[in-house]
Amino acid sequence: MLKNKNIICISYTTWEGEYTKSTVQLLSLLAFHNNVLFIEYPRTVKDLINGIRGKINIPVKRMLGLEKRVQTIEADTGAMVKHMVMPPVLPTNSIKNEGLLNLFYRWNTKMYRRQIRKIQKKFNLKDSIILTAFNPVYGLAMIGELDEHKNIYYCYDGMDLDRNNARTIELEKEFCEKVDGIITTSEYLNNEKKQYNSNSVVVKNGVDYDLFVPFAKTKVNDTTKKKVGYTGSIDYRFDLDLVEYAVQELPDVIFEFTGGIMNQPVVDRLSKYDNVVFNPAVHASEVPDIVSKFDVGIIPYIKSEINKNIYPLKINEYLAIGVPVIMTEFAVLKDFYGIANVIDTKEEFVKQIKDQIQNDSEALIKKRIEFAKSNSWDKRAELFGSYLNQFTQ
């Protein structure tokens, strides 16, 4: 177990939010025995303006330094974490001119580095483990600049030109080569990163078992109208054609989707069906109750090169409630063979939905719940900590 270490996390996300974040889950547990500083992804000047105008909800006063940029917060686990908000940075995503882009990049990283050094001195964060969570642009610029003990890259997603620019992809490759170790969330990602760094290992996503188990099923739902459910962002991964076919073929089954809409055509096409319901994103603590109403949980992702990187959080969440899982073979997830149902065609998708609704049982429910228990975040954090120990010796 990792103990008595200073961990500074250069994150790509916020701490709070409407979905579960693996970085937050792991650090919330590691913080029981270590001193953790979580740095949120820096927002831009444009974000700041939108925040001041009330268009988005961001910590404007902390960004401007009118309130403490570093505050101690209590994680859901009960552990205490130092939480940092950076001043606004210059936006770079739309810049095409290489010279201007480099200038903005140097300005942003210089400010970022200066702010971290100031906090290191204030809180005596010497000899820290710098854990960069899918933020290689800032992570690379910090290597050797923070009097750190070691640099570790936590990579939980892949990169492609549809979502990342070519510069970011190249910087990530360089970052992988320079860090002391890489922790990935899937075998596919791990094989990719090993091309650049032999110290690459896997810690798969888990489930907050204690959060879900109070809502776990003890029997098959006694409802006339059966429900197929999905939780999480509806984005580029979603196989709209597959789901629409099932919605058409199973008009007596309710299809319920809960999560943020990042792929509007999904709503545009499916909303016309009487058996489809869309709900807004909810806090992670509300997910277990929602899933407990499902008769089947689905993960209908498109088979693509980028989706091969995914180890979905929701699969263990469905199973922790005891819900049967049906998913496409978007990635090789051998751990779930035999416990989840993998389909390859739209006809198989419909058939599996019918079969799981008709043939579910208390024995199968119990089996799924026990399987999910073995994938708890507690176990994942213990493994994650052991790799940090290994890489930082």
Side-chain angles (χ1 to χ4, degrees):
M1 180 180 291
L2 189 72
K3 288 186 177 182
N4 304 319
K5 302 293 186 182
N6 292 323
I7 302 173
I8 297 177
C9 179
I10 297 173
S11 178
Y12 191 70
T13 68
T14 59
W15 183 271
E16 298 290 345
E18 297 171 331
Y19 59 94
T20 302
K21 304 177 181 77
S22 61
T23 309
V24 172
Q25 293 292 326
L26 292 164
L27 291 177
S28 295
L29 292 163
L30 290 173
F32 277 116
H33 302 289
N34 301 277
N35 191 18
V36 173
L37 170 66
F38 178 90
I39 306 171
E40 295 208 353
Y41 186 84
R43 298 169 177 88
T44 67
V45 173
K46 181 180 178 181
D47 293 329
L48 176 62
I49 294 170
N50 286 330
I52 293 172
R53 297 171 65 184
K55 289 189 173 183
I56 57 176
N57 182 23
I58 59 174
V60 171
K61 290 184 178 180
R62 291 177 68 186
M63 290 173 67
L64 293 172
L66 300 176
E67 292 180 355
K68 291 182 178 179
R69 289 201 173 100
V70 177
Q71 299 179 4
T72 300
I73 61 173
E74 184 176 356
D76 290 342
T77 59
M80 306 308 292
V81 173
K82 290 180 179 65
H83 177 269
M84 182 174 184
V85 173
M86 282 285 177
V89 298
L90 300 174
T92 58
N93 286 343
S94 59
I95 297 177
K96 305 297 182 183
N97 182 278
E98 188 71 19
L100 187 60
L101 180 62
N102 288 333
L103 179 64
F104 277 29
Y105 173 69
R106 287 195 299 271
W107 173 276
N108 288 343
T109 54
K110 183 178 180 180
M111 179 279 295
Y112 195 95
R113 180 168 55 249
R114 184 173 64 249
Q115 290 293 327
I116 296 178
R117 283 175 173 172
K118 188 187 301 183
I119 297 305
Q120 281 183 296
K121 184 176 180 180
K122 181 177 180 179
F123 292 102
N124 195 30
L125 298 175
K126 298 179 180 178
D127 207 29
S128 295
I129 298 171
I130 307 299
L131 177 67
T132 299
F134 201 59
N135 192 350
V137 173
Y138 283 91
L140 178 61
M142 297 305 113
I143 289 181
E145 299 289 339
L146 301 174
D147 294 323
E148 65 270 22
H149 179 56
K150 297 286 183 177
N151 277 279
I152 309 299
Y153 182 28
Y154 178 44
C155 182
Y156 52 76
D157 201 356
M159 290 196 175
D160 65 357
L161 289 173
D162 290 334
R163 297 179 298 153
N164 311 100
N165 59 46
R167 178 187 176 86
T168 300
I169 293 173
E170 287 305 311
L171 288 175
E172 195 219 22
K173 290 178 182 177
E174 183 181 349
F175 183 56
C176 287
E177 292 171 350
K178 290 186 175 181
V179 293
D180 299 291
I182 303 174
I183 302 176
T184 66
T185 51
S186 72
E187 297 291 351
Y188 187 85
L189 267 177
N190 189 50
N191 290 335
E192 178 187 298
K193 300 311 172 191
K194 274 187 177 292
Q195 298 175 60
Y196 311 107
N197 193 317
S198 60
N199 286 334
S200 184
V201 296
V202 181
V203 177
K204 296 169 183 175
N205 288 329
V207 61
D208 188 344
Y209 186 77
D210 291 339
L211 176 66
F212 279 79
V213 72
F215 297 87
K217 294 183 178 185
T218 56
K219 62 179 182 178
V220 177
N221 289 343
D222 186 19
T223 52
T224 304
K225 203 78 169 177
K226 297 300 180 180
K227 182 182 290 186
V228 171
Y230 173 92
T231 57
S233 297
I234 297 174
D235 53 23
Y236 68 94
R237 298 172 294 185
F238 198 89
D239 192 332
L240 176 53
D241 292 336
L242 176 77
V243 174
E244 185 174 33
Y245 178 79
V247 167
Q248 292 171 336
E249 291 294 308
L250 301 168
D252 294 328
V253 174
I254 297 170
F255 286 78
E256 181 180 275
F257 305 95
T258 301
I261 306 299
M262 302 170 70
N263 187 347
Q264 189 59 38
V266 174
V267 179
D268 294 342
R269 276 174 55 180
L270 297 184
S271 292
K272 63 185 178 183
Y273 298 102
D274 293 336
N275 59 329
V276 173
V277 177
F278 286 98
N279 297 319
V282 299
H283 190 272
S285 62
E286 299 176 66
V287 172
D289 184 47
I290 290 170
V291 175
S292 69
K293 309 297 193 305
F294 293 173
D295 296 286
V296 174
I298 58 172
I299 309 177
Y301 290 164
I302 292 170
K303 293 173 69 174
S304 67
E305 195 64 26
I306 192 64
N307 283 354
K308 291 178 181 178
N309 296 292
I310 299 172
Y311 182 106
L313 286 161
K314 62 179 61 62
I315 189 168
N316 281 311
E317 295 178 346
Y318 292 163
L319 293 172
I321 298 293
V323 172
V325 178
I326 302 174
M327 62 183 184
T328 54
E329 198 170 13
F330 55 88
V332 179
L333 299 171
K334 294 181 180 179
D335 295 3
F336 298 97
Y337 290 177
I339 196 75
N341 304 279
V342 182
I343 60 93
D344 195 43
T345 67
K346 59 185 181 181
E347 290 81 13
E348 286 181 54
F349 188 45
V350 170
K351 181 179 182 301
Q352 277 295 333
I353 291 173
K354 290 179 179 178
D355 287 349
Q356 296 306 314
I357 287 175
Q358 293 171 1
N359 301 317
D360 202 9
S361 67
E362 292 181 13
L364 289 172
I365 290 170
K366 185 176 180 180
K367 180 180 178 182
R368 297 180 196 115
I369 295 170
E370 286 300 313
F371 181 90
K373 186 177 182 180
S374 67
N375 293 334
S376 70
W377 279 118
D378 296 85
K379 294 182 184 297
R380 300 303 200 223
E382 187 175 340
L383 180 60
F384 195 94
S386 71
Y387 282 132
L388 288 181
N389 249 335
Q390 175 184 317
F391 290 148
T392 56
Q393 293 299 320

